[in-house]
Amino acid sequence: MTRRGRTLRLAFVSAVVSLVAVFAAVGSTVPLFNVYRAEDGFTNADISLTVVAYSAATLTTLLVLGRVSNHVGRRPTSIASLGLLLLGCLVMLSVHDVGTLIAGRLLMGLGAGLASSSLTSYIVDAAPARPTWLASVASSQTVMLGLAVGAITSGALVQFGPWPRDLIYLVVIGLLLLSIALIAVSPEIAMPTPGVWQSLRPRIRVPARVRHLLPAAASVFLATWATGAFYQAFVPALVEDQLHTSSPIILGLVFAAYMGPSVLGAPLAGRFSPAVAQRLGMVAFLAGMIGIITAIATGALALFIVATIVAGASQGIAISAATRGLLHGSAPADRAPIFSVIYLLCYSSATIPALIAGKLSNTFSLPQIVLGYGSLALIGTLFTVIAARNPHTATSGTNRHGGQS
């Protein structure tokens, strides 16, 4: 048992580090958006289109390849996802036009989509049994941690390092190579099963015992991930135009202030039932959004950052609770399909509002657009407060990662 424990710890750590690397690569582009705007003439609509392209690629990958790790194994699928991110970073070294930026982000989206099902399932498969909330927190919040790390590191290197357009991608490439090596020496935990070609047929499946949790979970993912896409697409311009600073490190910190605190808020969800935690998280998230709207209207950078931190921490509570509920009582074969559905909801929630907002950005001002996202947060909060439910307790204890309701 001691040797198996060490083996599981290696797999868990390797999968967590790799998922951080994947989303550090994704987050690393955000502080460079203003550089591309200033030096290459990109518009807000162009930047929004790259966010949509990334999310669309992720959605497509989840639909087609979301269950493939059940059949070929977590390790090879995870390594493939890291390789796609590596190719995306190599393309980003040559960005001087919108087409190249979109191509790089498409590759990143393909890699992130594959990682969202394979690496998150790998994390849950290898997570320690105690504390019970660790599997859901690590699988759902490592994404936010990676985005925050990537944005902060990128902002610092763009502002203070040499080769401001390239250095961050070289650093991320090194991290991705390290992650590939870690996964390569880690054990395979999920035994491959036949049926890989059939798994490529798009199919959305959630175990019947947790389907009643999907409406509230979807409202949580919609409000929080839509706002995350807003921070990617519009906050670079917003920070410069409305809050009067063009500092890449400030931009990285602002983006990280939304993503990073999510990791701190997530463990709090384990103190409550999934339904209560979702309600509390979304009410606090709405309060943060109100502060963000107020800060933009008044041009108050300090209030904007504080409200962003509140929204970020509270989204961590709500997202982790929703994920914990959906994973309740899950068997290993259930996890990749469940995570595929979770991230399909998440990336749909990011893509559709970003696409609409990008089209509207030529007509409406950024403060007006953020009001639309605030309305989305209000609707999502009200629906969650009404519709949040706990998992059925009949399967409690059937699986070490199911959580408690």
Side-chain angles (χ1 to χ4, degrees), residues 349-361:
S349 300
T351 304
I352 297 171
L355 183 61
I356 296 170
K359 295 290 186 183
L360 295 177
S361 66

Side-chain angles (χ1 to χ4, degrees), residues 21-261:
V22 165
F23 286 95
V26 174
S28 67
T29 60
V30 175
L32 281 161
F33 284 153
N34 276 347
V35 175
Y36 300 147
R37 289 172 70 222
E39 297 182 4
D40 300 315
F42 294 1
T43 65
N44 290 337
D46 291 334
I47 300 299
S48 180
L49 184 60
T50 68
V51 174
V52 171
Y54 162 81
S55 298
T58 306
L59 282 168
T60 302
T61 308
L62 285 166
L63 277 170
V64 178
L65 301 176
R67 292 173 291 135
V68 75
S69 70
N70 281 350
H71 302 282
V72 302
R74 308 292 193 220
R75 288 173 66 243
T77 314
S78 298
I79 289 172
S81 72
L82 293 164
L84 286 167
L85 265 296
L86 190 62
L87 288 175
C89 288
L90 290 172
V91 171
M92 298 295 282
L93 290 170
S94 304
V95 169
H96 290 286
D97 58 82
V98 174
T100 304
L101 180 58
I102 289 175
R105 293 288 283 179
L106 278 170
L107 284 167
M108 287 184 171
L110 294 173
L114 199 54
S116 294
S117 62
S118 60
L119 279 170
T120 48
S121 298
Y122 205 176
I123 288 171
V124 175
D125 291 344
R130 294 288 184 272
T132 56
W133 48 260
L134 181 60
S136 61
V137 169
S139 56
S140 65
Q141 299 307 313
T142 301
V143 172
M144 305 301 181
L145 177 61
L147 289 168
V149 168
I152 292 174
T153 305
S154 178
L157 294 180
V158 170
Q159 185 158 343
F160 303 115
W163 321 309
R165 295 173 67 111
D166 301 327
L167 183 57
I168 181 58
Y169 297 126
L170 296 175
V171 170
V172 172
I173 285 169
L175 183 58
L176 290 168
L177 289 171
L178 171 63
S179 299
I180 290 172
L182 285 172
I183 295 295
V185 300
S186 296
E188 179 61 71
I189 296 175
M191 296 307 297
T193 59
V196 62
W197 295 112
Q198 290 86 345
S199 75
L200 302 181
R201 185 183 304 144
R203 186 177 66 174
I204 298 174
R205 178 176 66 84
V206 175
R209 68 181 177 277
V210 294
R211 284 177 194 162
H212 68 290
L213 306 178
L214 274 178
S219 68
V220 169
F221 299 144
L222 173 60
T224 56
W225 276 68
T227 304
F230 168 79
Y231 269 70
Q232 288 190 57
F234 295 106
V235 164
L238 197 65
V239 168
E240 183 170 356
D241 300 340
Q242 301 296 130
L243 303 176
H244 314 298
T245 178
S246 59
S247 166
I249 187 64
I250 292 295
L251 176 54
L253 288 169
V254 167
F255 182 71
Y258 182 70
M259 299 299 176

Side-chain angles (χ1 to χ4, degrees), residues 357-372:
K359 295 290 186 183
L360 295 177
S361 66
N362 295 320
T363 305
F364 295 95
S365 67
L366 289 179
Q368 289 173 324
I369 287 174
V370 78
L371 282 175

Side-chain angles (χ1 to χ4, degrees), residues 230-231 235 238-239 243 254 257 288 291-293 295-296 300-309 370:
F230 168 79
Y231 269 70
V235 164
L238 197 65
V239 168
L243 303 176
V254 167
I292 289 167
I293 293 168
I296 291 170
L301 179 59
L303 175 59
F304 184 78
I305 291 176
V306 170
T308 295
I309 291 171
V370 78

